[in-house]
Amino acid sequence: THQPFLAADAAERRRRPPTPFHAVPRPGEFALPVSHQRGGEEVKARGEEGQRRKQAALSTRPAISLQQQMLRGAHSSPALLIAATALLMGSAASIAFFARSNKAALSGLNALRKGRVKSVLPSRFLTRRGAIRNIAGAVGTVSAGAATAGTLPEINLKKEPRSYFLQEPVKETVRRTDPASTERFDLIGHVEYPDATPFLPSDFKRYDESPDTMFYVQPRFVTHIDDQAIEAIRTYYRTEFPSGPSNVAILDLCSSWISHYPEDFKPAKAIGLGMNQDELKENKALTSFVVQDLNKEAKLPFEDNTFDYVTNVVSVDYLSQPIETFKEIHRVLKPGGKLINSFSNRCFPTKAIDLWLQTQDWAHLLIVAQYFKMAGFNAPTAYDITLPKGHDPMYVVEAIKQ
């Protein structure tokens, strides 16, 4: 459970909806429905104005790959990194585990407990969420000097399963994968997985816990990633799927009006499972569809060993019972079948799970990889397939059923 000194942050979260620190939408792509937010028209107007400012600031910014994020390095001290990571871990035992490895971190945590945060952290770190936004992502980008200096705590997955999220990328292996090539650079090949779950029940809470059927009642005939990100995943699919007519059976999970499949991919069966019937009707890649809310009912309405592939695009962050869903995917895949999970850094923040909002791209790879492991898949692999000239990053985490 979270510690009392985090209560102020909880109060702040009740006062206002969280902002998408890593997900800046294009005009018309992202909306905060008035019925789902406190503040009514004021929130809506403030959100629209914020969108315009953010879009203007991003209009000239190129895509930032995981490799570029690493090369930038961490701009915060190792002590603050440890302190913020301890906050992320959530339990008293975890906080003590990390704090005792560094006296400066312990001092920072004590100051946080006593409310003397300003003397330790700048104003943007005044809340747990703010600290995690600015520091937790640096777990994967900490500078080589800090890593070799021994200032980071030891990772012990048996005693502290949640220390799983402290694992860093291997700098030499972090490279973009050309989605058109069969040569791929696995980002998580070195990652070790805990026997016990590293997740807390609170990780899967969402700001808007109203039924998802309300949120998706209106169709959205828009794309939630830019054209280059769409081209990246479509090109990647082209290297995976056979061209022309085939006996392949594929399930597109959390589907919509477009599945981003290559035009020359002609499976015998392509089923979409999504939330909005009008959107699914417009999806020309599907042979049939099912309307189902996976956060209400994770059990898939299909027989065992049905599909050769399951795909999921920019939706894994909305699953509030992901382990159950991934186990169901494992069940309906044929032996040797593959789940291809892809995502960017955009989202509807009121519907994304809390852990996703608290972490950045590298940790997102670890989160999804752990879903695979807990569902019984073979060892997952992860790739950064971002196109050089695109704006939105694009990642794939995939695994095969034994």
Side-chain angles (χ1 to χ4, degrees):
T1 58
H2 296 313
Q3 301 304 304
F5 65 87
L6 302 179
D9 182 54
E12 180 196 40
R13 291 180 60 196
R14 288 195 293 269
R15 287 197 300 270
R16 60 177 178 79
T19 54
F21 71 97
H22 63 288
V24 183
R26 293 182 294 276
E29 175 191 274
F30 167 73
L32 295 175
V34 175
S35 60
H36 294 180
Q37 303 297 331
R38 295 178 175 86
E41 294 300 326
E42 179 185 354
V43 170
K44 182 179 179 181
R46 189 164 63 245
E48 291 173 350
E49 175 61 25
Q51 287 183 27
R52 286 193 291 270
R53 291 198 305 268
K54 291 174 182 177
Q55 185 61 31
L58 279 177
S59 59
T60 59
R61 195 173 77 180
I64 303 296
S65 69
L66 186 62
Q67 182 178 18
Q68 290 170 310
Q69 293 175 33
M70 283 192 65
L71 293 176
R72 287 184 173 187
H75 299 293
S76 41
S77 72
L80 295 185
L81 173 60
I82 296 169
T85 305
L87 292 178
L88 175 61
M89 306 297 277
S91 69
S94 298
I95 289 173
F97 170 72
F98 288 108
R100 66 172 174 259
S101 66
N102 189 291
K103 292 182 179 180
L106 181 59
S107 174
L109 287 171
N110 287 334
L112 285 169
R113 286 192 181 96
K114 297 175 182 178
R116 293 185 285 104
V117 182
K118 288 186 178 181
S119 64
V120 180
L121 300 173
S123 60
R124 65 181 180 278
F125 297 140
L126 287 180
T127 65
R128 173 173 177 265
R129 180 178 295 274
I132 291 170
R133 286 181 180 178
N134 287 278
I135 300 178
V139 168
T141 61
V142 66
S143 64
T148 56
T151 54
L152 291 178
E154 180 184 356
I155 297 172
N156 189 324
L157 297 180
K158 290 186 177 180
K159 292 183 179 179
E160 290 287 344
R162 204 158 171 83
S163 66
Y164 165 74
F165 296 110
L166 282 181
Q167 296 181 84
E168 302 176 40
V170 175
K171 187 174 181 180
E172 292 75 19
T173 64
V174 176
R175 298 176 59 184
R176 291 182 194 249
T177 291
D178 180 355
S181 173
T182 56
E183 182 183 17
R184 295 173 180 172
F185 304 100
D186 184 12
L187 301 172
I188 60 172
H190 66 289
V191 169
E192 297 181 8
Y193 298 92
D195 294 330
T197 177
F199 300 116
L200 302 174
S202 59
D203 290 339
F204 305 111
K205 298 296 183 181
R206 301 175 299 168
Y207 182 82
D208 180 2
E209 294 287 7
S210 64
D212 290 345
T213 50
M214 294 172 56
F215 188 83
Y216 294 101
V217 67
Q218 294 296 328
R220 294 180 176 90
F221 296 107
V222 297
T223 53
H224 301 289
I225 47 179
D226 68 12
D227 293 341
Q228 292 296 311
I230 292 173
E231 182 59 28
I233 189 59
R234 181 180 288 122
T235 302
Y236 187 84
Y237 284 155
R238 192 171 288 117
T239 66
E240 288 282 335
F241 303 155
S243 60
S246 68
N247 293 324
V248 167
I250 190 168
L251 171 64
D252 190 27
L253 216 57
C254 305
S255 189
S256 180
W257 68 283
I258 186 170
S259 294
H260 309 308
Y261 295 157
E263 292 183 1
D264 60 352
F265 175 49
K266 306 294 182 183
K269 178 165 59 177
I271 301 178
L273 187 149
M275 290 289 294
N276 188 280
Q277 179 173 295
D278 292 336
E279 292 178 8
L280 293 167
K281 284 181 178 179
E282 293 299 316
N283 193 328
K284 307 303 182 185
L286 304 179
T287 59
S288 62
F289 65 83
V290 177
V291 176
Q292 180 173 323
D293 181 357
L294 292 173
N295 289 335
K296 183 178 180 181
E297 177 54 72
K299 185 173 179 58
L300 298 175
F302 309 110
E303 298 294 328
D304 296 359
N305 308 320
T306 298
F307 298 100
D308 299 284
Y309 294 97
V310 175
T311 57
N312 180 272
V313 181
V314 295
S315 298
V316 68
D317 44 325
Y318 304 125
L319 297 176
S320 60
Q321 41 184 354
I323 310 305
E324 293 84 348
T325 300
F326 272 58
K327 287 181 177 179
E328 276 294 292
I329 296 171
H330 186 272
R331 179 183 66 81
V332 302
L333 274 171
K334 297 176 182 179
K338 180 182 286 188
L339 167 56
I340 303 175
N341 216 302
S342 57
F343 51 87
S344 183
N345 63 357
R346 293 183 178 274
C347 70
F348 295 102
T350 58
K351 284 297 184 181
I353 62 169
D354 195 53
L355 182 60
W356 197 272
L357 294 179
Q358 291 178 1
T359 52
Q360 296 185 4
D361 293 11
W362 165 249
H364 294 166
L365 301 180
L366 297 181
I367 291 169
V368 178
Q370 183 64 23
Y371 293 167
F372 277 102
K373 292 295 291 185
M374 294 180 70
F377 282 86
N378 285 355
T381 53
Y383 312 112
D384 180 352
I385 63 168
T386 309
L387 293 181
K389 295 183 179 180
H391 176 275
D392 298 340
M394 201 67 189
Y395 304 102
V396 166
V397 184
E398 63 181 22
I400 294 173
K401 175 180 176 178
Q402 292 182 354

